[in-house]
Amino acid sequence: AEQPAAISRLLKDRLGKHGVELDELSMSNDDLAAIDRVYMVACGTSYHVSLIARELVQDWAKIPVFCEYASELNYKEPLVTDHTLCVIITQSGETADTLTAARRMKALGCKVFAITNVLGSSAARESDGTMYIQAGPEVCVASTKAYTAQMVASALLALRLALANGSMDEDEVRGHFASLEQVPGLMEEVIRRRWQDKQAARVFRNAKSALFLGRGVNSTTAYEGALKLKEISYLHAEAYPAGEMKHGPIALLEPGFPVVAIVPADHVHDKTVSNIEESIARGATVVAVATDGDERVAKLCENVLWIPPCPEEWIVPLVAVVHLQLLARYVARARGCDVDKPRNLAKSVTVE
């Protein structure tokens, strides 16, 4: 419920005479324009943020992006140039693997930029620049508002890079920023619809596993939805880009098996609907996340988590994920789990 306010805070005073104001980067316009590749380094939920950030930076700024789990990067040889930017994403700013990776990238000559929630954290102290997502303290172990705030911060970074290297003009940047400004209101609408998540939670009552599917940026929404379900309800779930379903996961499907499909009104909508049809044909019970007024999905699925129309396709992950966070919460409560303090998990992973 705190997510809309967190995002409003993050966007405040960000639009200035030079488009998006990102003073925290502490790099000149020429240096930003010269960036030829970006490494996004993170763990867990923050890694899912990096996957969306990759799409935005590549689409808008035309810069190739490498997403790496910090724990993996620490044992690899990254391909660093004189103009490589390393972006570390960490809610706590104390994630051991991420900090180790940041130090290593810095030693290789990268500028390191941190997106974090905690003032004065190790990530903030050790980076060349830090963007605080200002989400406020996140009490529960499973990250929710930090996830969406980090995504908004990543979008601002992508816009700043695109403006610096000329891939976008100021009018385009302002257009995308205006879309971001609609996010708090869209999220509030989803939160008002949480009865839909409570209703859909019944699908998981006797489940042993679940499959999450999405395409494009919403394959990441599927990953995050599955992670939330695993973290707080202890129900096994896996996520795939929907087109990969036929390459193995379809073997899981049997009568009553829950499939969560993210199928907004986007350019791949019809492809994802065909995945829903394939799932239903094999007896699966599909919970769809769909855009208001989608009659095809309404006819196919008894359980639909409706989202209001979004101004641009890349806004959908910010809005749709709120439904999946709420769904995981209701499933966890139905299974008698502690939503705020899941077993075996720590809020901040400070060991490697």
Side-chain angles (χ1 to χ4, degrees), residues 111-164:
K111 280 276 190 198
V112 175
F113 183 60
I115 295 175
T116 187
N117 192 27
V118 181
L119 289 165
S121 59
S122 300
R125 287 196 309 274
E126 296 188 31
S127 299
D128 297 304
T130 304
M131 186 172 184
Y132 291 109
I133 59 171
Q134 304 172 63
E138 192 173 54
V139 177
C140 67
V141 169
S143 179
T144 49
K145 64 180 179 177
Y147 174 75
T148 46
Q150 285 170 340
M151 219 189 295
V152 170
S154 301
L156 294 174
L157 172 64
L159 290 173
R160 184 69 192 89
L161 291 173
L163 194 64

Side-chain angles (χ1 to χ4, degrees), residues 128-275:
D128 297 304
T130 304
M131 186 172 184
Y132 291 109
I133 59 171
Q134 304 172 63
E138 192 173 54
V139 177
C140 67
V141 169
S143 179
T144 49
K145 64 180 179 177
Y147 174 75
T148 46
Q150 285 170 340
M151 219 189 295
V152 170
S154 301
L156 294 174
L157 172 64
L159 290 173
R160 184 69 192 89
L161 291 173
L163 194 64
N165 69 20
S167 299
M168 245 185 217
D169 61 31
E170 281 191 33
D171 286 344
E172 288 173 288
V173 169
R174 285 175 190 277
H176 289 314
F177 191 87
S179 296
L180 277 175
E181 288 182 311
Q182 291 184 42
V183 168
L186 294 166
M187 283 180 162
E188 279 165 359
E189 180 55 37
V190 169
I191 293 165
R192 278 194 287 273
R193 301 175 184 193
R194 58 185 174 272
W195 61 270
Q196 297 169 357
D197 304 286
K198 191 172 187 178
Q199 207 170 37
R202 294 181 303 205
V203 170
F204 300 84
R205 189 178 295 145
N206 300 311
K208 300 281 185 288
S209 184
L211 181 62
F212 284 68
L213 301 171
R215 286 176 186 262
V217 283
N218 286 302
S219 60
T220 303
T221 308
Y223 297 143
E224 181 60 15
L227 178 61
K228 284 293 155 280
L229 196 67
K230 280 181 276 205
E231 282 184 307
I232 64 173
S233 78
Y234 316 147
L235 178 64
H236 175 260
E238 45 183 326
Y240 279 87
E244 284 294 296
M245 184 176 88
K246 293 194 204 68
H247 298 276
I250 199 166
L252 291 168
L253 303 189
E254 58 186 358
F257 189 98
V259 172
V260 180
I262 298 104
V263 56
D266 60 15
H267 72 291
V268 285
H269 170 272
D270 293 354
K271 291 282 185 193
T272 313
V273 168
S274 71
N275 293 116

Side-chain angles (χ1 to χ4, degrees), residues 7-48:
I7 284 165
S8 296
R9 266 198 308 277
L10 183 53
L11 293 176
K12 194 172 181 294
D13 302 326
R14 286 290 173 188
L15 203 60
K17 60 180 187 294
H18 303 302
V20 171
E21 300 287 349
L22 224 59
D23 299 337
E24 299 97 328
L25 267 170
S26 63
M27 292 172 74
S28 70
N29 214 54
D30 287 348
D31 285 344
L32 288 172
I35 290 169
D36 60 5
R37 68 184 60 182
V38 176
Y39 269 86
M40 297 266 175
V41 184
C43 304
T45 285
S46 296
Y47 178 78
H48 295 157

